[in-house]
Amino acid sequence: MTTYALVSVGCPHCSGQFLENAKLVRPDGDAWCPHCEKLFTLDSGNLATRRTLAEAKAARRRRKDRLTELRATWSDVPAAPPKPMLMGDVLRALDELLDRLDGLTHKRS
C-alpha cells in the first residue's frame, strides 16, 4: 500500500493528464502541470474538475478506511503513546544497546 492515494488530473492549458496526490487535490486548490509547466486552479465549476475532485475525495476516504482497518489488526500498536523516559532510563537503554552491539562484534571476530 502506498503512503498516499493518486488521482488523474487534466490540465486545462494543454489537456495533458498527470497523477497527483489526492491529499493535494482540493476545491479551489492549485495544481502544477508537469507537461506544460503551468500552475492552474482546480475550478469546481468545471465538470471534469468536479469529477476529479470527487475521485480525490473518494480516494482519501478509501485510504483513511484502509488505514483504520490495518490499525485495528495490528496487535503490537500501543493504545497510548509511551510515557517519557527519564534520563537514567535513556542511559540504561543506551548501555544495553552498546553491550548488545559489542556482543555482535565479538561473535563476528
Side-chain angles (χ1 to χ4, degrees):
M1 184 175 126
T2 62
T3 57
Y4 50 88
L6 297 175
V7 292
S8 180
V9 178
C11 176
H13 300 289
C14 69
S15 300
Q17 293 286 319
F18 59 95
L19 294 177
E20 183 64 83
N21 184 343
K23 189 177 184 180
L24 303 175
V25 178
R26 305 282 182 164
D28 298 321
D30 292 330
W32 181 80
C33 177
H35 304 292
C36 66
E37 299 183 349
K38 290 186 179 178
L39 186 68
F40 61 94
T41 301
L42 296 168
D43 178 21
S44 56
N46 181 329
L47 180 62
T49 303
R50 277 199 308 265
R51 275 192 228 124
T52 300
L53 292 170
E55 289 174 17
K57 186 175 182 177
R60 289 190 302 269
R61 169 53 66 191
R62 283 191 307 272
R63 180 182 179 278
K64 183 178 179 181
D65 291 346
R66 180 68 177 137
L67 288 173
T68 301
E69 176 187 312
L70 287 172
R71 284 187 182 114
T73 61
W74 294 337
S75 61
D76 59 341
V77 175
K83 294 180 181 178
M85 297 176 74
L86 298 174
M87 185 56 75
D89 296 332
V90 171
L91 293 173
R92 193 171 14 266
L94 286 172
D95 282 340
E96 290 172 7
L97 178 61
L98 289 172
D99 287 341
R100 286 188 1 215
L101 288 173
D102 191 42
L104 289 174
T105 304
H106 290 306
K107 285 182 182 178
R108 291 184 183 163
S109 300

